[in-house]
Every structure is written in structure tokens, then in C-alpha cells.
Amino acid sequence: MLPGKLFMHIPDGFLSIPVSIVLWVVSIVVIGIALRKTSKQLGEKEIPLMGILAAAIFAGQMLNFSVTGGTSGHLLGAALVTILLGPWAAILVMTSVVSIQALVFQDGGLISLGSNLFNMAIVGVFVSYAILTVVNKIIKSEKTALFSSSVIASWFSIFIVSLGCAVELVLSGTSPANIAIPAMASIHALIGVGEALITLGAISFVYTARKDLLKIGSASKSTNKGILIGGSVITIILAILSPMASSHPDGLEWVAEKQGFLSVAQDSIYNLIPDYVMPGLTNEAVATIIAGIIGAAVVFVLIIGVAQTRKKTSS
Amino acid sequence: MIEIYQHQKSYIHLLNTRVKTLFTLVFILCVSLSPTGTWPAYLLFLTVILAGIILSRLSFKLLLIRSLISLPFVLAAFPILFTAPEPHWQLSINEKIKILISQPGFERFISIAIKSWMSLLAAILLSSSTHFEELLSALRKLGLPKPIVSILSLMWRYLSLMIDEGRSLARARDSRSAGKSNVRTIGWRAGVTGKMVGNLLLRSLERSERVYAAMAARGYTGDPLYRTSKSFTKGDYWILTCGVMLCLLILAFAILSQ
């Protein structure tokens, strides 16, 4: 009955008030810009299109496929909507979805809604748009560019949003950096594969049925430089800095270290859970980067696999 | 399916929606701001929200079940049990394995869990005692931009329709694969799900064209659509002031008793 749950909707009580307020302000500003840009582009058609598409994305998030052992693949949809509508309209659609989830279904809190909007509606769309644009510039063939860019963009949107989510929890003092960041990153490196596969399926369906709707490569190349730069900066900062941050002790441990308690604390960690995600790797930065590389490799293998099956079916 | 409790009549249901919305936000804000480990203040906050639930005559059991939705997220705060500093409690499983649980870490973990749960109860109370359209018009009166209100209100109208379409797609998929979720490869299953999502999106795009045409035929020129809400009376003002003062008093108590 309830929408598919991703481990991304932060409830109230988990974020500190300064973090919540700063992200509320950022979200309000960006959504305000998105409103102005979209109403200029679409005119009075804006409201029915956004509203109904948001309802469809909400319903689409409920459709899942079983992976194995009770786990299932879900959709967030930020990349998918960005491909279909372009970044500004996508921000509005995702804003509506995330808001309804918080207001009606309590999936995510009310005070933390600002940061959930920031993560899923803004970072998700910015990152997707930046990657879509870059991949479409690199790959010349239109069809290959469309499919590979949607796979890469949707995987990265999930991965980067989860890093953002983890950083916010760390900044709020809710989770220690050296556990939250690698854990969120490795879980979502896998969840991102589900997102990438569903997005690929949806885009290939739309490509077959209504090719005219897919205009991301051609439409508004120069007008959205701000999002392109913003998305790239967010991606690079979170992808590079969060593994580095996760290898440093968090505030609490820093205090513990100062007072000579670290050896005790570490003993306790090693007794119950190892202080790193991948057994055998002592450095969390390395572990996170490796999780990222594994995820990227899985996506790459998937692209090749899909390309192969397409070849087979066409020949 | 979604709106089952909102039709009941109780004091909380009939209360001005703007009062409820503002009070819920202030309540959650005060709960979030109260420091770690101020248990008496938590108890007072819990009393306030329980009083609200009793006044609303909603089934406590159902609210309790709904409030478990964010339970998995507690995992995010779990590590601080072990990483926070001294002093530690020692749990011995056997001679070799000992677990050290940090006392401040434990305090913080329990505080986060309780605060999150109380905020969730408040949000559930608001949403299950208020029609969504009323909530939207209250939010509009409180300054949410018109286009956002219109988009949310239209999304709400089409939500159950889209969910039904999604369900019938899922039913069709399940009946064609004989109810087995493990047929063929993961890639195939994901592809089918993706095509279902694509299908849903295409249908919604086409539907939005039709809806727009119908709206235009009825004279729609871009003016937002939403319900207007009840006016704010003097009584509402007093109720809101008392509620907010109560929350602030408990917060002050929490900070002073720290």
C-alpha cells in the first residue's frame, strides 16, 4: 500500500536544527527558481503536467521487482523525470512527490522535509542533469548516448544522494562519519543498480513508443549552465570528499582521542562490528572508493549485457 | 484507501487546520530542540501528543502501527552506541567476546529514537485528522506559493487513479508470470518493471494533455486551483497561542533541567 521505501527519507529527530534550516533555505530558493523557469517555459500547461506526472512517479515508485531473498529493486525517479522533462520541471515533480510522501504518508519528517527535498529533488536532479549532459557530449551516436547516459545518470543520482544524506546525518551528530558514509555508500551502490535498470527499461519503452518525447540531448543545451556546473560540483565534492571525511574520526571520536579514550572505544568497536565495511580493508576511504568502483563496474557490465541482448534480438 | 480516518468528527478534526498545522510544526521543532537525555521533558511532550490523540478519538493501535514506518531509520543512529566516549557498560557474551556500550552514546541513541517517534506521532495525528485539500489550503494561507499548492492538489486528485493503474499493471505482470517473482533473470524482471514505469509515465503524459484540454475548455487560464479555507477566528488564535506557549514552556524546562 505504501510507496517503495528507500533508505533516504530522513525522519524528524535525526537532523540537527541548523542543518535542517540551512537546507530548507537552499531548497526554497532553488524550488522558487524552478517555479519561475517552468511557468515561463510551459505557461498554463505547467500545473496539469507537473501534477499528473508527479502522481505517476509516486505510483511508479511502488512498482518493484524482486532481486533475491526478499530484497527488491525500487525507483526514485529523479533521473527519469530529468530525461523526460529537463531539470527545472523535474525539480518541481520530485518536490511534489517528496512533499506528499512527508505530508500524507509520514515517509520523511516535516522539519527534515527541507533536507529531503534538497537531497531527492535538487541534488538528485542536478547530478542527473550534469551526467546526462556530459555523457551526451562524449558519445556521438544518439541512441547509445541516450541509453548509456540514462543508466549512468540514474546510478550516480542514487549514489550521490545517499552520500549527501550520510553527510547530513554526520553533520547533525547522529551517525559517526566512518560508519555512516561507507555504509550508506555501499548499500546505495547496489540500490542504484535497480534504479539504473528500471530507468533503462522505462526509457527504452518511451524510445520505442514515443521517441519524440525524448529531447534531453537537443533541448536547452546552453540555458541550464547553472545546473550543469552545480550538479558537477556536487558530484565531485561528495564523491571525492566524503570518502576522505569518512576516514577521519568524527567529532566525538576526536574528543575521545584527545582525552586518550580512543583505544578503549576502538576495542569496543572491534569486538562487535569491524570499523570498516569491507573485510580485509583497514582504510574506510579505500573501502568506499572500492564500493564506488564495484558499483560503476556492475553498471558497466550491465550496459554491455543489455547491448549484447539487443544485438541478439535484432539479428 | 488513503483517507479513512479524516471523515470522523472530533474536537481535533474540527479544529482550524491552520492551528493544527502550525501547532504540529512548533511541537516538532520544540521536540527536536530539546537536549539529549531530558527525560522528564520528553514525558511532558508525550503527554501533550497523547492528549491530542485521545481528543481525536483515533484508534491508538492504528496510529502506533503507522508510527513504526520510520523504525528502520533508527539504524542510522545505531553506531553511536559504540563510538561515543566513556564511560562504558560491559556486556560479556562469553570469556572472549565483550561488548562495550558507551553510556553517553546510549543516552543519545534513545533520545533520538524517542524524539523521532514523538514527532512522527504528531505528524500522523495531523494528517489523519485533516483532509489533504484542507491542509493544502491552510498551507496556502501560511504562504506556500500558489503554483505549488495547485500542483500538489492536482497530484492528489490523480494519485489514487495512478496507483490503481500501477496496481493493474503489476497484477497483469504477476498473472503472466504465474505469480512467480523469480522467473527469468534479474535483468529481465527489472526491464519489465522499467517498461511498466515507462508505460505509466506515457499514460500520464497523455492524460495530462487531455486534462489540460478539458480545463482550458472550462475557462482555465493559468489561475491556480485550490479550496479556500475557513477563516481564522479569535478562538483559534487563543488555542494556537496556548498550544505554542505550552510547547515553549516544556522546551524551556528541558533546557533548564539539562
Side-chain angles (χ1 to χ4, degrees):
Chain A
M1 185 173 119
L2 289 172
K5 249 187 100 71
L6 288 156
F7 203 66
M8 276 183 183
H9 298 78
I10 306 175
D12 282 324
F14 284 81
L15 292 180
S16 69
I17 295 297
V19 172
S20 309
I21 289 177
V22 167
L23 293 179
W24 255 120
V25 170
V26 175
S27 301
I28 289 171
V29 170
V30 177
I31 292 167
I33 299 172
L35 268 177
R36 231 181 316 131
K37 296 251 179 192
T38 324
S39 74
K40 224 186 266 168
Q41 273 170 17
L42 287 167
E44 73 270 23
K45 264 189 168 181
E46 170 204 14
I47 283 158
L49 179 64
M50 302 290 107
I52 294 176
L53 211 71
I57 286 291
F58 186 100
Q61 290 184 344
M62 295 170 56
L63 301 173
N64 52 26
F65 65 95
S66 69
V67 177
T68 163
T71 52
S72 56
H74 288 299
L75 183 75
L76 177 66
L80 184 57
V81 195
T82 312
I83 298 166
L84 278 178
L85 296 181
W88 294 114
I91 287 176
L92 291 189
V93 169
M94 291 311 292
T95 299
S96 314
V97 173
V98 174
S99 306
I100 291 249
Q101 279 167 341
L103 286 171
V104 184
F105 298 95
Q106 279 74 49
D107 206 2
L110 298 179
I111 301 293
S112 59
L113 177 59
S115 44
N116 286 330
L117 286 174
F118 176 77
N119 294 338
M120 286 179 274
I122 297 172
V123 173
V125 169
F126 272 37
V127 167
S128 303
Y129 183 76
I131 288 172
L132 286 170
T133 315
V134 169
V135 175
N136 274 301
K137 278 219 172 105
I138 296 171
I139 300 176
K140 284 286 163 281
S141 149
E142 194 194 325
K143 199 177 165 187
T144 328
L146 175 70
F147 288 125
S148 50
S149 66
S150 44
V151 167
I152 298 169
S154 40
W155 185 82
F156 266 97
S157 68
I158 295 291
F159 188 67
I160 299 293
V161 168
S162 80
L163 287 182
C165 205
V167 168
E168 286 153 26
L169 288 169
V170 169
L171 286 177
S172 303
T174 305
S175 298
N178 54 354
I179 294 175
I181 293 174
M184 285 290 267
S186 48
I187 294 170
H188 287 90
L190 287 176
I191 292 181
V193 176
E195 175 89 9
L197 285 171
I198 297 183
T199 307
L200 180 66
I203 289 300
S204 68
F205 179 82
V206 177
Y207 186 83
T208 329
R210 288 285 302 274
K211 202 176 160 185
D212 55 308
L213 291 172
L214 299 163
K215 49 196 174 217
I216 182 73
S218 55
S220 52
K221 252 181 193 161
S222 55
T223 48
N224 297 316
K225 267 208 176 117
I227 298 191
L228 177 59
I229 295 165
S232 315
V233 168
I234 292 172
T235 311
I236 291 165
I237 287 183
L238 281 173
I240 293 174
L241 282 190
S242 54
M244 280 161 79
S246 71
S247 61
H248 286 286
D250 70 324
L252 267 177
E253 276 190 42
W254 184 74
V255 175
E257 195 172 22
K258 275 260 163 180
Q259 299 176 351
F261 292 140
L262 194 64
S263 51
V264 187
Q266 269 183 345
D267 284 345
S268 72
I269 299 163
Y270 290 132
N271 278 343
L272 187 77
I273 29 168
D275 205 2
Y276 35 82
V277 264
M278 303 243 166
L281 289 170
T282 40
N283 190 325
E284 294 80 17
V286 176
T288 312
I289 290 167
I290 287 182
I293 292 172
I294 291 174
V298 171
V299 172
F300 185 68
V301 170
L302 280 172
I303 300 174
I304 294 178
V306 171
Q308 290 289 335
T309 46
R310 279 188 180 278
K311 249 187 223 158
K312 266 182 216 156
T313 44
S314 57
S315 66
Chain B
M1 171 206 71
I2 301 162
E3 293 200 317
I4 11 177
Y5 312 114
Q6 287 88 332
H7 303 283
Q8 295 170 355
K9 292 249 181 296
S10 78
Y11 180 70
I12 300 283
H13 285 78
L14 295 175
L15 198 60
N16 188 304
T17 314
R18 258 179 289 168
V19 174
K20 279 191 272 187
T21 314
L22 281 176
F23 176 76
T24 309
L25 289 177
V26 170
F27 179 85
I28 296 176
L29 201 63
C30 286
V31 168
S32 305
L33 281 172
S34 52
T36 300
T38 46
W39 314 117
Y42 293 173
L43 202 64
L44 290 176
F45 278 127
L46 193 64
T47 318
V48 171
I49 197 66
L50 285 181
I53 293 173
I54 291 168
L55 274 179
S56 73
R57 287 194 235 143
L58 291 162
S59 148
F60 189 69
K61 204 176 130 198
L62 279 172
L63 291 192
L64 207 62
I65 293 170
R66 278 189 72 187
S67 73
L68 293 179
I69 180 174
S70 74
L71 193 65
F73 213 92
V74 171
L75 263 181
F78 193 66
I80 55 168
L81 277 179
F82 309 102
T83 56
E86 289 263 80
H88 286 103
W89 285 313
Q90 209 170 24
L91 295 175
S92 322
I93 293 175
N94 61 29
E95 286 292 298
K96 275 186 183 166
I97 303 172
K98 284 190 187 119
I99 302 173
L100 290 176
I101 295 176
S102 148
Q103 287 178 23
F106 182 75
E107 210 172 52
R108 267 214 297 168
F109 175 74
I110 298 291
S111 297
I112 288 174
I114 291 178
K115 282 155 91 174
S116 165
W117 182 64
M118 289 193 299
S119 310
L120 195 59
L121 278 182
I124 294 173
L125 181 60
L126 173 67
S127 75
S128 48
S129 68
T130 317
H131 283 285
F132 185 66
E133 299 250 314
E134 294 241 340
L135 186 61
L136 276 184
S137 67
L139 288 173
R140 168 71 200 117
K141 281 269 166 69
L142 294 172
L144 195 69
K146 281 180 189 175
I148 293 268
V149 176
S150 308
I151 292 171
L152 285 178
S153 133
L154 209 80
M155 175 184 174
W156 181 245
R157 280 181 221 175
Y158 283 90
L159 194 59
S160 48
L161 203 86
M162 284 300 165
I163 290 175
D164 279 348
E165 285 203 357
R167 281 215 185 111
S168 65
L169 281 170
R171 207 161 38 237
R173 172 187 64 178
D174 292 344
S175 56
R176 278 171 182 75
S177 53
K180 277 186 190 162
S181 52
N182 287 333
V183 284
R184 307 241 204 140
T185 59
I186 288 181
W188 183 84
R189 292 204 293 273
V192 168
T193 313
K195 281 176 183 128
M196 286 156 65
V197 173
N199 195 340
L200 209 56
L201 287 183
L202 272 196
R203 286 192 205 181
S204 73
L205 282 176
E206 279 154 15
R207 172 166 278 129
S208 86
E209 299 265 308
R210 287 205 306 278
V211 170
Y212 169 68
M215 282 161 72
R218 285 176 180 77
Y220 170 72
T221 51
D223 285 329
L225 3 112
Y226 55 85
R227 270 212 253 185
T228 46
S229 65
K230 276 190 275 183
S231 57
F232 208 66
T233 63
K234 227 176 183 180
D236 293 332
Y237 179 77
W238 281 112
I239 295 169
L240 181 62
T241 316
C242 291
V244 169
M245 288 306 279
L246 185 63
C247 289
L248 290 177
L249 274 177
I250 302 178
L251 176 63
F253 169 66
I255 292 171
L256 290 176
S257 72
Q258 193 187 0

